[in-house]
Structure formats: structure tokens, C-alpha cells
Amino acid sequence: CIMNNDDLDQLINKKVAETVVVDGNWAVTHASYRMNDVAYIFPITPSSTMGEIADEWSSTEDANGKKKYVNLWDQELKVVEMQSEGGAAGALHGALVSGSLATTYTASQGLLLFIPNLYKIAGELLPTVIHVAARALAGQALSIYGDHSDVMLARSTGVAMVSSFTVQEAHDMAIISQIATLNSSVPFLHF
């Protein structure tokens, strides 16, 4: 293959990949934003960041007024902020029953309020991924330490559970969980 200087300059100056330093919340949102139609959120620390990022991306437009961030089907993700975690769980269930590709982001404390709906979602084999930022359940004061005891309370609901250890794993497992839930119709809990 013979290249002229212009072609060679373009090849050399072309960026193949860009390295970005992010946290796990950003990585999960980056992956899940592109594979869903709707996200139901209720800001609860430490998962607030995921919902806030998704909300920001869904409202960002370029200079021409076109949505800057879209999913794989060239549509914007509809982000709906609910009044409670229970409301987010119920809205997620309703969206899944109607056939939407829907997701939600919650903290481990909020996950406890999802449990009644998790039984229904799993029993009806509705494909979804629920992304959980896990931290220790609070006893007398709020805790900032990571813990999975609260997430383990959801084992009996029938959802598949996938855990991530690093930021890269969080990104990759969000994608893998989405593909797996669509192939198996088993809802996934990604923490």
C-alpha cells in the first residue's frame, strides 16, 4: 500500500484511544447510558453520582441543539427522578412490563426498598440491570465503608448478582450484565 504524505499525516495525528481517569459511578453510567431507553433515579449517596451523570448527559446538547449523548439506537436516555426509592422500583417494574429497556441506580440502603419489587421483576423474568453502590448499612450513624451485607439480603429475590472490584470491572460488568439479562431474561443486580 502506497501512501502520500497527507494520508500519513492524518494517520499519525489520528487519536486511536483516549485515556480518561474516572470513578466507578462514571464508568457504570457510561456503559448503562448507551444500552437503555429509560433510567429511574432517586438521589441517595453514594449512588447519587450515577443518576446525576445520566441526568446531565440526557440534557446536554451540542451547538446545533442536537442531543450530545445518545444510546446505541441514537436516542436520548429518558431520565426520570422519583420521589423515593420505592417509587423508582415501582416505575422500573412498570417500564419493564411495557417492554422498555430500563435501568436504575441505587445505594445499598435504597436497595432494601427495592426488595418487594425485585421479587416481581425476577418472577416475571423481566430483563434489567440494577446498579448498586454498596456501603455498610448504618446502625446508629451513617457509614462510609464498603460492605456487601445489605446487597446479600437480595439473594432470595431471584435476581442474578454480579460484583465488581475495580473501576474497569464496574464498566465491563455493566456491559456484560446488560447483554446477559437480554439473553436470559433474568434481571441482574450489579454491585
Side-chain angles (χ1 to χ4, degrees):
C1 175
I2 299 174
M3 297 179 131
N4 63 30
N5 285 339
D6 291 336
D7 291 338
L8 188 58
D9 286 342
Q10 286 179 353
L11 184 63
I12 291 170
N13 293 326
K14 183 178 179 183
K15 282 188 177 179
V16 176
E18 184 177 329
T19 302
V20 180
V21 178
V22 299
D23 68 353
N25 287 326
W26 192 96
V28 167
T29 308
H30 181 263
S32 65
Y33 188 93
R34 284 153 177 75
M35 297 180 288
N36 288 285
D37 297 323
V38 63
Y40 295 97
I41 64 170
F42 175 73
I44 182 171
T45 308
S47 70
S48 300
T49 310
M50 290 186 279
E52 289 167 0
I53 292 169
D55 193 25
E56 179 184 330
W57 287 350
S58 71
S59 61
T60 303
E61 297 179 349
D62 63 12
N64 298 325
K66 185 178 178 192
K67 292 295 180 184
K68 191 172 179 181
Y69 300 98
V70 292
N71 63 17
L72 294 174
W73 301 275
D74 203 32
Q75 301 167 341
E76 71 173 278
L77 177 75
K78 182 177 180 181
V79 178
V80 181
E81 186 173 338
M82 304 304 292
Q83 295 296 316
S84 70
E85 286 290 351
L92 175 68
H93 179 243
L96 295 172
V97 168
S98 72
S100 293
L101 290 174
T103 191
T104 189
Y105 313 100
T106 188
S108 44
Q109 287 82 0
L111 179 64
L112 299 177
L113 299 170
F114 270 74
I115 288 177
N117 282 297
L118 288 179
Y119 281 106
K120 292 186 64 64
I121 291 168
E124 295 170 8
L125 295 175
L126 299 172
T128 189
V129 181
I130 298 167
H131 302 280
V132 180
R135 70 174 181 199
L137 278 176
Q140 295 182 4
L142 291 177
S143 175
I144 60 169
Y145 298 104
D147 189 287
H148 296 142
S149 58
D150 46 347
V151 175
M152 293 300 130
L153 289 171
R155 285 185 302 177
S156 64
T157 62
V159 299
M161 300 174 85
V162 177
S163 179
S164 301
F165 183 69
T166 66
V167 173
Q168 185 65 55
E169 279 183 14
H171 182 270
D172 297 345
M173 289 301 182
I175 296 169
I176 291 167
S177 297
Q178 186 76 29
I179 294 168
T181 193
L182 293 174
N183 284 332
S184 66
S185 291
V186 174
F188 274 70
L189 191 66
H190 173 226
F191 63 99

